[in-house]
Amino acid sequence: MHKLAAIQMNSGSEVTANLREAGRLMATAAAQGAELIVLPENFALMAKSDAERVAAGELDGSGQIQDFLADKARTLRVWIVGGTLPVLASKERVFARCPVYNPEGRCVAHYDKIHLFDVDVGGGESYRESARVEAGKKPVMVKTPFGMLGLAVCYDLRFPELFRALLEKGATLFAVPSAFTRTTGERHWALLVRARAVENLAFVIAAAQAGRHANGRETWGHSMVVDPWGEILAERKGGDPGIVSTFLDTDQQTRLRARFPAINHRRMV
């Protein structure tokens, strides 16, 4: 079995401070035996404004945040799903990019968030992520020692067709870096994470932001790992930063998919 960890953070608007905290938590997780570490959405920057997010945008393949992730993967000898970071799509827009690094420090794949959070939550709380973020266009799968890893980000959880597309490509586990609002997270976070696990008979590793941030936003936290039967294997119930870790029993998943072959029972209607 392989050990993995989801990192929960309360990221602010200073990249250097966020990287320092992410590095500390990842080093602890690696020391505890984690082989795969998943960071939350916006782990390096919870921007105060759209302009600040674009100003922090990096070129594809280079920049402070990407160099940090490559270095940590190499020095800690772990796989890292790098939450999301802003990567320039143009002078005025960025991708919300989720990169994956192997233990050699090489970026082996990246996913650009497809579904952008343009919603009115209620009580005057509203978001327009598409104002400065360019939507991605394709699902992304990564072959890892832990299985076929499908990538999704936060609001993507509400779109089961993305996870089905990844399942068609052979997904056995999903990494979902997130920053759910407190309002939506309290009602839907665990429900959605468990639903995506159950319907695809797959593990879901959901790393989240938690608490009140410098930009005034409040996130739900509750980072968790869910197994293919919908059981929560590990969860950080408090709203503080920290680590959620557990082992993946892939043999159990194989047996479950064989005796309960719901995936093979799908019919087009």
Side-chain angles (χ1 to χ4, degrees):
M1 292 194 292
H2 298 283
K3 192 173 187 181
L4 58 87
I7 302 296
Q8 183 160 294
M9 294 183 65
N10 176 250
S11 298
S13 59
E14 296 183 10
V15 172
T16 301
N18 295 329
L19 295 185
R20 186 184 309 115
E21 175 69 354
R24 180 186 71 82
L25 291 168
M26 287 195 292
T28 300
Q32 293 173 352
E35 302 168 69
L36 169 66
I37 299 174
V38 181
L39 289 163
E41 185 179 22
N42 300 323
F43 87 96
L45 175 67
M46 189 68 82
K48 292 182 178 179
S49 66
D50 291 336
E52 185 177 85
R53 187 201 311 244
V54 173
E58 299 188 346
L59 296 174
D60 182 16
S62 66
Q64 180 184 6
I65 302 170
Q66 293 168 87
D67 290 348
F68 164 84
L69 291 169
D71 176 70
K72 290 303 176 186
R74 184 171 52 251
T75 57
L76 297 176
R77 302 299 300 169
V78 295
W79 287 77
I80 295 176
V81 177
T84 64
L85 62 139
V87 171
L88 290 170
S90 67
K91 289 183 179 180
E92 297 184 351
R93 299 179 69 78
V94 295
F95 293 110
R97 179 160 295 178
C98 176
V100 180
Y101 291 82
N102 68 14
E104 286 70 50
R106 183 167 62 90
C107 183
V108 296
H110 69 258
Y111 164 68
D112 294 328
K113 185 179 182 182
I114 292 175
H115 300 99
L116 303 182
F117 196 49
D118 290 1
V119 304
D120 296 311
V121 176
E125 186 180 6
S126 65
Y127 302 88
R128 292 294 179 270
E129 193 172 23
S130 66
R132 289 295 187 94
V133 177
E134 189 76 19
K137 294 180 172 59
K138 62 180 183 179
V140 174
M141 177 92 74
V142 188
K143 185 177 181 180
T144 75
F146 326 104
M148 297 298 289
L149 174 66
L151 303 175
V153 174
C154 199
Y155 191 47
D156 283 334
L157 271 172
R158 296 183 182 272
F159 301 89
E161 58 270 25
L162 172 60
F163 292 80
R164 280 301 200 209
L166 292 165
L167 181 69
E168 292 289 349
K169 295 175 180 289
T172 57
L173 68 158
F174 302 110
V176 191
S178 300
F180 257 58
T181 69
R182 179 177 181 83
T183 304
T184 58
E186 186 173 14
R187 290 161 177 79
H188 301 150
W189 169 251
L191 173 68
L192 289 167
V193 174
R194 296 180 70 190
R196 299 296 83 85
V198 169
E199 67 195 10
N200 297 292
L201 295 173
F203 292 96
V204 180
I205 312 152
Q209 292 280 354
R212 188 168 294 278
H213 304 268
N215 60 8
R217 181 173 177 177
E218 189 172 6
T219 50
W220 177 238
H222 290 261
S223 298
M224 62 177 63
V225 181
V226 178
D227 77 4
W229 199 239
E231 298 295 330
I232 298 174
L233 299 178
E235 178 183 6
R236 191 161 188 86
K237 295 184 178 181
D240 56 327
I243 301 164
V244 171
S245 62
T246 190
F247 288 93
L248 292 189
D249 187 346
T250 53
D251 290 339
Q252 177 260 354
Q253 179 184 32
T254 300
R255 292 191 299 270
L256 175 60
R257 284 186 169 187
R259 70 174 176 80
F260 198 88
I263 293 170
N264 300 328
H265 292 163
R266 288 172 294 157
R267 297 291 182 267
M268 296 301 294
V269 295

